[in-house]
Amino acid sequence: MTEGWFTGKRFASYLPAKGPATNVQFTSARRIINGIDRAGKVAGYAISFQAALVAGQWS
């Protein structure tokens, strides 16, 4: 995923290098794994996890 082995696209193709990602960016990044299968649901999990990291002051 980080090197684009599966689809030719890497996380960096969809997610920002710095700062929080948006729901749309997480939804698009889902294409790296399984196309858009359950992309909205997975993006929701990612947004929640990201919020927990930010709340814990992880950077």
Side-chain angles (χ1 to χ4, degrees):
M1 297 177 299
T2 57
E3 296 177 11
W5 289 3
F6 302 106
T7 63
K9 293 279 191 171
R10 305 174 316 159
F11 276 133
S13 300
Y14 298 105
L15 302 176
K18 292 190 176 212
T22 66
N23 193 25
V24 171
Q25 289 170 317
F26 281 127
T27 300
S28 296
R30 176 72 174 152
R31 296 171 194 268
I32 296 169
I33 307 296
N34 254 356
I36 56 171
D37 179 48
R38 298 186 184 141
K41 188 173 191 173
V42 174
Y45 293 145
I47 289 289
S48 296
F49 188 71
Q50 177 178 258
L53 291 173
V54 169
Q57 299 180 347
W58 183 81
S59 58

